[in-house]
Amino acid sequence: MSTLYGSDAIAGVINIITRKSSDEKIKFHAKTAYGSFNTNELSLGANGRSGILGYSVNLSRDFTEGITEADPGQNSGFNKDGFERRAISTRISLDAFEGFTITPFLNYSDYDGDYDAGAFADGDNRYEASLLNTGARVNYETGDLELRHATTFTQTERKFTDAFGVFNPSASLLNSDLFGMYNKFESVRFLAGFNVQELNFELNGIDEGSQILSPYLTAYFESGFGLNGELGVRLNDHSEYGSNWTFNIAPVYNVNEQVKLLASVSSGFKAPTLNELFGPFGSNTNLKPQRSLTFDTGIEFNSSDMKFSGSVIYFQRKIDDLISYDSNLGYINLNEQNDSGIEVKMEYSLPLTQAEVFYNFLDGAITQNGEETDNLIRRPDHSFGLKVSQLITEELRVNLFGKYVGEREDVFFNTNNFMNESVTLDSYVLVDLDIQYKFLNDKLDLFASVNNLLNADYTEVYGFNTPGIHYKAGLRFSF
């Protein structure tokens, strides 16, 4: 997705759509929950609309005693590592005139918590962090033309206190994106835009920054015989690394109403982060940007009654100058990373029951100095899972989730001999249960969940802890 979304989309995009303002003048919503490890979640908010003005505001506070971050092994004396988060989010939407909306917003959150000294190593360390995210979005629609502009400023400040001392890095990002969509023609739609990113990083007298200027153009086309597709191109003009192009070609062929064939070829560009270039641990000012080329192809099927759907996707991805971390050398570029895999998904839906099954196969290797080595660190060759959602009554729904994660390799830094060592992590199965009960005309929602229902003993990162069976229950109000 780098062609449409820019540098950091080299591996994909998550699109988060926030709650829209209610058409009522005011509507309140609240949540309270309690769970294992003395975990508390609290939130209160309101949203609504009066005439041309819409608004939304939300306050939240989460805190937990947590578990020990480092794996204690046979040691029972490790301290728990908890955290607390406080957040406020606000948004105003003004429909200035027909087709024109401006939406300023402000989000602020701060955190504090504990962290350990490393794998199998307890520590009395503290971190603090604050995040300010503010800006405005503008939307204008007239006829076949839609224009959108969003400017966002994000300021992050952190403080780490541990045996190495006190570190206070801060960073900021100014992201301005202007784009338009033109739908005049029946078979072709165009999206064109211009993106500006200004980044800055400060730490102990270091004050570094970079800028990316990116014009981009994407065309969506539909033929009269089932062939549709997307063509896109983007120029990334980086203040440190010069100009480079990314592209995306994604044809789709509808064999009939049930079967769809799809494919894509796309390139990506990702500059090193300012922390990788100038940060406190292992920074390297000689890092090169990552460049990727991805190919995928597959088939999607939907039954005529829409009860069953499935897809099979095969992909290959090559990344040149992959940025990796070596505990002895710090951040380095590796010659080449090659990944390939298959993703299979099936869904079945009835009025009261929905079921989903997935399977992923992944293979990957790194090439460094002419030598190829398997390196799917913490990524299994095989994983699969299922989700079953059952509506017991109109008010009661039960969801069951299951996931299998196969064996995978991990690399850790052994403080006894100061060497990187490889270890095989065992496969594991996780099962989660979620129950939701709605009453008072959906104004009150009672929920409860039990995670790691089988109390599996598993490892995600070697030397670090994971929770056993744990629960959470609470209430959501909307009135």
Side-chain angles (χ1 to χ4, degrees):
M1 302 299 290
S2 283
T3 298
L4 192 59
Y5 289 94
S7 171
D8 289 330
I10 193 169
V13 170
I14 299 174
N15 184 25
I16 299 174
I17 302 173
T18 56
R19 184 195 305 267
K20 293 183 179 180
S21 299
S22 170
D23 291 331
E24 303 175 23
K25 285 189 176 181
I26 185 168
K27 187 173 183 178
F28 294 99
H29 55 88
K31 172 186 173 183
T32 178
Y34 180 82
S36 300
F37 322 118
N38 195 26
T39 300
N40 291 263
E41 297 179 5
L42 305 166
S43 68
L44 176 65
N47 66 93
R49 175 169 292 278
S50 178
I52 63 173
L53 185 67
Y55 66 92
S56 175
V57 60
N58 190 76
L59 302 170
S60 65
R61 180 181 178 221
D62 305 329
F63 57 94
T64 181
E65 290 182 1
I67 62 175
T68 171
E69 184 183 57
D71 187 343
Q74 301 300 316
N75 191 329
S76 60
F78 280 21
N79 296 320
K80 295 180 179 180
D81 299 297
F83 82 93
E84 181 173 358
R85 181 185 73 96
R86 301 157 291 271
I88 179 172
S89 62
T90 61
R91 183 182 69 229
I92 296 174
S93 178
L94 177 63
D95 298 328
F97 53 85
E98 185 177 358
F100 182 85
T101 303
I102 181 170
T103 307
F105 59 89
L106 185 147
N107 306 304
Y108 178 80
S109 58
D110 66 73
Y111 308 75
D112 60 76
D114 311 304
Y115 64 99
D116 280 332
F120 302 107
D122 194 21
D124 188 18
N125 306 323
R126 294 285 297 171
Y127 72 87
E128 301 172 33
S130 65
L131 173 68
L132 172 67
N133 172 255
T134 186
R137 294 184 290 269
V138 178
N139 188 63
Y140 176 65
E141 296 183 44
T142 176
D144 299 311
L145 178 65
E146 181 175 356
L147 296 175
R148 296 186 182 183
H149 179 247
T151 295
T152 302
F153 175 77
T154 303
Q155 175 73 42
T156 305
E157 296 184 0
R158 295 183 174 93
K159 180 180 179 181
F160 300 92
T161 305
D162 56 27
F164 295 98
V166 178
F167 298 90
N168 296 91
S170 64
S172 65
L173 166 65
L174 177 65
N175 185 27
S176 181
D177 198 17
L178 171 65
F179 65 94
M181 293 171 284
Y182 189 61
N183 303 309
K184 176 67 175 179
F185 308 105
E186 184 175 335
S187 58
V188 182
R189 295 179 291 120
F190 294 97
L191 185 152
F194 190 83
N195 178 244
V196 178
Q197 295 185 25
E198 297 271 1
L199 301 99
N200 189 71
F201 177 85
E202 296 181 23
L203 174 66
N204 298 337
I206 299 172
D207 188 353
E208 299 288 346
S210 64
Q211 180 188 70
I212 305 176
L213 305 178
S214 301
Y216 55 95
L217 172 66
T218 296
Y220 307 89
F221 64 88
E222 298 180 7
S223 71
F225 53 88
L227 180 63
N228 306 324
E230 175 184 327
L231 299 172
V233 64
R234 186 185 190 104
L235 172 65
N236 299 285
D237 184 19
H238 196 282
S239 57
E240 298 294 327
Y241 299 106
S243 299
N244 72 90
W245 293 88
T246 59
F247 69 89
N248 179 43
I249 303 173
V252 177
Y253 182 67
N254 296 285
V255 178
N256 51 45
E257 292 184 356
Q258 282 76 50
V259 180
K260 179 188 298 184
L261 305 177
L262 58 150
S264 73
V265 180
S266 58
S267 63
F269 164 85
K270 189 180 190 309
T273 67
L274 294 177
N275 179 65
E276 292 167 344
L277 292 170
F278 308 108
F281 298 108
S283 60
N284 181 359
T285 57
N286 295 317
L287 286 175
K288 301 175 183 178
Q290 300 179 146
R291 291 179 172 85
S292 71
L293 182 65
T294 302
F295 165 77
D296 64 63
T297 184
I299 182 171
E300 293 182 358
F301 172 80
N302 289 280
S303 63
S304 57
D305 58 7
M306 303 304 292
K307 291 182 179 179
F308 175 79
S309 65
S311 64
V312 179
I313 304 294
Y314 170 79
F315 74 90
Q316 286 185 334
R317 180 175 61 232
K318 173 186 174 184
I319 302 178
D320 290 321
D321 295 320
L322 177 77
I323 297 175
S324 183
Y325 187 84
D326 184 284
S327 55
N328 295 315
L329 302 175
Y331 289 102
I332 58 174
N333 285 112
L334 301 177
N335 293 146
E336 186 178 297
Q337 170 80 39
N338 288 282
D339 295 330
S340 62
I342 298 174
E343 299 173 350
V344 181
K345 184 170 72 171
M346 293 181 289
E347 297 181 27
Y348 188 72
S349 180
L350 292 173
L352 301 180
T353 306
Q354 290 82 43
E356 177 183 324
V357 179
F358 75 86
Y359 166 75
N360 294 332
F361 169 75
L362 182 63
D363 186 27
I366 195 76
T367 301
Q368 180 73 349
N369 300 323
E371 182 179 348
E372 185 176 274
T373 307
D374 290 343
N375 76 318
L376 292 179
I377 304 303
R378 302 180 191 138
R379 292 179 291 170
D381 291 346
H382 305 278
S383 62
F384 61 85
L386 63 87
K387 172 185 176 182
V388 178
S389 180
Q390 178 68 46
L391 193 63
I392 308 297
T393 68
E394 291 186 0
E395 298 82 14
L396 178 62
R397 178 177 292 277
V398 177
N399 301 309
L400 182 68
F401 309 88
K403 180 174 67 172
Y404 167 84
V405 178
E407 287 187 353
R408 59 246 176 262
E409 296 298 310
D410 200 356
V411 175
F412 77 103
F413 182 68
N414 192 330
T415 56
N416 294 319
N417 56 21
F418 299 101
M419 297 288 291
N420 286 326
E421 296 185 5
S422 179
V423 63
T424 300
L425 303 181
D426 292 335
S427 60
Y428 63 89
V429 174
L430 290 182
V431 177
D432 300 332
L433 179 67
D434 175 78
I435 301 173
Q436 301 173 20
Y437 185 79
K438 296 182 178 182
F439 48 99
L440 297 180
N441 295 322
D442 292 345
K443 292 182 179 179
L444 188 59
D445 182 7
L446 173 65
F447 62 91
S449 62
V450 181
N451 295 323
N452 194 1
L453 189 62
L454 303 180
N455 200 28
D457 183 11
Y458 67 102
T459 300
E460 290 185 326
V461 179
Y462 187 70
F464 290 87
N465 201 14
T466 54
I469 185 171
H470 56 287
Y471 73 90
K472 181 174 67 175
L475 291 169
R476 279 186 289 260
F477 307 86
S478 180
F479 53 90

